[in-house]
Amino acid sequence: MSAPIISIIILAVMFLTATLLPVNMGALAFVGAFLLGAVFLGMETTDILANFPGGLFLTLVGVTYLFAIAQGNGTIDLLVRGSVRLVGGRVALIPWIMFIITAVITAVGALSPAAVAIVAPIALGFARKYKISPLLMGMMVIHGAQGGGFSPIAVYGVIVNSLISTTGLDASPTAVFLSSLIFNFLIAVVLFIVLGGRGLLSSRVGHFVEQAAEARMAVSVGSRAGGDVAFKGFGSGIYGPRDPAGDGAQETPSRAERIPQLITIAGLIALAVIALGFKVDVGFVAITIAVILALVSPAAQKGAVNKISWSTVLLICGMLTFVGVLEEAGTIEYVSDAVANLGMPLLAALLICYIGAIVSAFASSTAILAALIPLAVPFLATGEIGAIGVICALAVASTIVDVSPFSTNGALVLANAPDDVDKDRFYKQILAYSGIVVVAGPAIAWAVLVLPGWL
């Protein structure tokens, strides 16, 4: 049996194992890289480890460390509180504020599940209070998180752009980001119309902050336990010590609390300016700003290192190390030749998008992006089809399906459903919607981003 076939079997076993069992796929990938490289290819372990993505490791750690500090010192709560106040008494704007909040949180570097965990509990509390469709609110949160997820300093964006930068293909971080943002925004518009958003346009509420506190209190005990991180953030910011009487009257933050928050906001702005404007490595800039914030407010950064998403770091670094060994085995060239031999580049691009969507609905989006983009590179290098368009379509197709109840984001929304929501019915609604997304999403992304050939 040839090395490419063996490597594909190992990859399939990895995905199957990670789907059926609670085993981190990154850990499986390191094992797969060792078995494939050392046992079947005769590689030295030093050569296998040479594929470890050190730069991306630093970026993932730096960005998630910075976000953990921002959450710990109340900056994220401050931003959320300010955003929610913008709706005044307009109920119809609440779903859009939830969309924007999660988009901003992921765009500045938070992982998509972290943003959903923060916003979903309060969004579904609002849904119960103001008779908004829970499906609408939950999906607005997820699509918002995915919409901001491909900014050049976001985790998804860093992964995709890092992979493309080493291939020699045309790259456009802006196109990838805007494709995801616009695509998810348009889906949100359709959801808003179909799921009763127009009926909310005439609804208004008074004493919004007070009722927001009541909405938060209506969230189920079970969902609070499932979303502990989210409620810690909100409890210490919007509805906790700032509102001790529970009457909507907010105390003014002390100067000691305000200064770290202002410095954090300045740090996030500096990260965007320095990393994007001056092309300085995102990882080094993020971890530098994080350390400065830790020195400014040591108490607020307590436990921030533990909040770094080490499981995601392990996942991505393991997968990319395995992909490097796949390249040594000739698997990438083998798969690319098989796709190219179809003789229909547009059909091949569509198949790649569907593979990404179907696998990602049950497994990790980051893992499938890390696996499929390198596999598509040789095929795209032929120039028969626009590389940027295919990358944008693949990015969209592989992440919009995170609405699936089998994904982390979909599961978070399901777990945070209020008590008065029929959980079984809500599960079926999410499952039906995710089925529509899996079937239609890749085809629409391909039709818009690939078929016209304008990218």
Side-chain angles (χ1 to χ4, degrees):
M1 191 179 295
S2 65
I5 297 298
I6 293 173
S7 64
I8 291 172
I9 293 173
I10 293 175
L11 180 62
V13 170
M14 284 163 43
F15 270 109
L16 183 62
T17 302
T19 301
L20 299 177
L21 300 174
V23 181
N24 186 290
M25 188 163 174
L28 292 171
F30 277 118
V31 175
F34 173 70
L35 291 177
L36 179 60
V39 177
F40 293 102
L41 301 180
M43 296 175 64
E44 296 291 334
T45 54
T46 52
D47 295 328
I48 296 173
L49 289 174
N51 296 298
F52 183 87
L56 186 55
F57 169 83
L58 178 62
T59 298
L60 292 172
V61 170
V63 168
T64 55
Y65 182 37
L66 174 58
F67 177 77
I69 293 176
Q71 186 176 354
N73 66 20
T75 302
I76 299 301
D77 293 339
L78 178 67
L79 297 175
V80 170
R81 183 166 64 248
S83 299
V84 169
R85 282 179 174 174
L86 293 177
V87 305
R90 302 175 185 88
V91 175
L93 292 181
I94 296 176
W96 291 107
I97 289 296
M98 297 301 132
F99 179 92
I100 293 170
I101 289 172
T102 46
V104 170
I105 292 175
T106 54
V108 299
L111 289 165
S112 177
V116 173
I118 290 169
V119 181
I122 191 63
L124 289 163
F126 282 138
R128 178 184 182 276
K129 178 68 179 179
Y130 303 121
K131 309 302 181 184
I132 303 171
S133 165
L135 183 63
L136 170 62
M137 288 293 275
M139 297 306 104
M140 290 289 273
V141 169
I142 295 178
H143 284 300
Q146 303 305 73
F150 284 93
S151 85
I153 59 174
V155 174
Y156 284 160
V158 167
I159 292 169
V160 171
N161 297 327
S162 297
L163 290 170
I164 298 301
S165 66
T166 62
T167 64
L169 295 175
D170 291 334
S172 177
T174 302
V176 174
F177 174 42
L178 291 180
S179 295
S180 178
L181 180 60
I182 293 172
F183 207 92
N184 281 279
F185 171 75
L186 293 177
I187 293 176
V189 171
V190 173
L191 283 172
F192 185 79
I193 295 172
V194 172
L195 296 178
R198 288 177 297 178
L200 302 174
L201 295 175
S202 59
S203 300
R204 295 180 67 85
V205 294
H207 307 294
F208 183 79
V209 175
E210 180 180 353
Q211 295 193 5
E214 294 176 5
R216 187 262 185 184
M217 296 303 294
V219 180
S220 68
V221 174
S223 65
R224 291 183 198 180
D228 186 53
V229 173
F231 279 98
K232 285 180 181 177
F234 281 103
S236 61
I238 300 177
Y239 310 114
R242 300 277 175 264
D243 185 15
D247 58 2
Q250 305 246 334
E251 295 179 358
T252 303
S254 67
R255 183 175 180 181
E257 293 173 310
R258 205 164 45 227
I259 291 176
Q261 293 172 352
L262 294 175
I263 295 175
T264 302
I265 293 173
L268 294 174
I269 295 172
L271 172 63
V273 172
I274 296 172
L276 303 180
F278 296 93
K279 308 297 182 184
V280 181
D281 183 83
V282 174
F284 278 116
V285 176
I287 204 163
T288 299
I289 294 173
V291 169
I292 292 172
L293 294 175
L295 294 174
V296 170
S297 181
Q301 67 86 44
K302 185 178 180 180
V305 171
N306 294 331
K307 293 180 182 178
I308 294 173
S309 184
W310 294 111
S311 62
T312 299
V313 172
L314 176 61
L315 169 66
I316 297 304
C317 292
M319 280 301 301
L320 293 184
T321 301
F322 181 75
V323 167
V325 179
L326 286 182
E327 198 165 1
E328 294 287 340
T331 308
I332 293 176
E333 184 178 357
Y334 176 83
V335 173
S336 180
D337 288 344
V339 173
N341 288 335
L342 289 174
M344 302 175 67
L346 289 174
L347 176 59
L350 180 60
L351 290 176
I352 289 174
C353 288
Y354 268 107
I355 291 171
I358 293 170
V359 175
S360 183
F362 296 92
S364 168
S365 298
T366 47
I368 196 61
L369 284 171
L372 283 184
I373 290 177
L375 292 177
V377 166
F379 158 66
L380 296 176
T382 62
E384 296 181 55
I385 192 170
I388 295 176
V390 174
I391 296 300
C392 290
L394 179 58
V396 169
S398 298
T399 53
I400 59 170
V401 296
D402 281 357
V403 296
S404 163
F406 305 111
S407 72
T408 304
N409 288 344
L412 282 169
V413 167
L414 181 62
N416 282 289
D419 281 338
D420 61 345
V421 171
D422 184 334
K423 294 292 182 68
D424 185 58
R425 182 170 179 269
F426 192 38
Y427 165 76
K428 291 178 181 178
Q429 288 178 333
I430 296 176
L431 186 62
Y433 173 66
S434 61
I436 294 171
V437 172
V438 170
V439 172
I444 296 174
W446 171 83
V448 173
L449 299 170
V450 180
L451 189 59
W454 56 281
L455 283 177

